[in-house]
Amino acid sequence: MKNKGFTLIEVLAVITMLGLLALVVTPLVLEQQDKKEKELTSAQKQVLFSDAGSYVRDHSKYIIKSENVFCITVNTLIEEDYISMDDDEFKDNTIKVTVDENENFVYSIDNKCSENIES
């Protein structure tokens, strides 16, 4: 009579192989997830920078500036309805908008810029 089924060794071998596969695949999946989160953050920054540029164009007469540098808080953009944001990651940050010699805007997140914020 022939036994049908798997031996304990065969089952342990399959479990070991699945464990090794999980060890290899898990870091790759987590790395891809981190990349996606960073891409979202980059996309959020691009939206913030674009809206900060619109704000500067609309309010440039009223913003305190120093050598073509404008500082706008993200909270100001939210209060003025330039953006709506549920994520608190950027709300306390300041966007520094610098106007270069060709009148192009250069953007950065710069919290040290806050002493020149529009009042």
Side-chain angles (χ1 to χ4, degrees):
M1 188 151 113
K2 202 167 191 185
N3 286 338
K4 293 183 181 180
F6 299 104
T7 65
L8 182 60
I9 299 292
E10 292 170 330
V11 172
L12 288 175
V14 170
I15 290 172
T16 302
M17 284 188 241
L18 289 174
L20 290 173
L21 183 63
L23 282 173
V24 172
V25 171
T26 301
L28 297 174
V29 170
L30 293 176
E31 183 179 323
Q32 290 299 319
Q33 233 176 356
D34 288 343
K35 280 184 182 179
K36 282 292 184 191
E37 288 176 11
K38 288 179 184 174
E39 288 174 13
L40 288 174
T41 301
S42 176
Q44 288 173 333
K45 284 183 183 179
Q46 292 303 319
V47 169
L48 289 174
F49 293 162
S50 173
D51 292 331
S54 297
Y55 184 87
V56 168
R57 280 191 276 298
D58 293 346
H59 295 86
S60 61
K61 295 176 187 175
Y62 311 107
I63 297 176
I64 297 171
K65 62 181 179 176
S66 172
E67 299 177 17
N68 292 328
V69 176
F70 301 87
C71 299
I72 302 110
T73 63
V74 174
N75 278 330
T76 300
L77 294 176
I78 293 169
E79 290 169 3
E80 297 280 332
D81 292 327
Y82 280 83
I83 58 173
S84 63
M85 180 180 287
D86 295 329
D87 188 6
D88 290 339
E89 182 178 356
F90 295 111
K91 282 187 178 180
D92 294 326
N93 287 321
T94 301
I95 301 171
K96 179 179 179 182
V97 182
T98 307
V99 183
D100 67 11
E101 61 275 355
N102 296 325
E103 296 191 12
N104 296 319
F105 291 156
V106 180
Y107 306 98
S108 64
I109 301 287
D110 183 359
N111 292 324
K112 294 179 182 176
C113 189
S114 62
E115 62 268 6
N116 296 326
I117 297 176
E118 169 250 346
S119 50

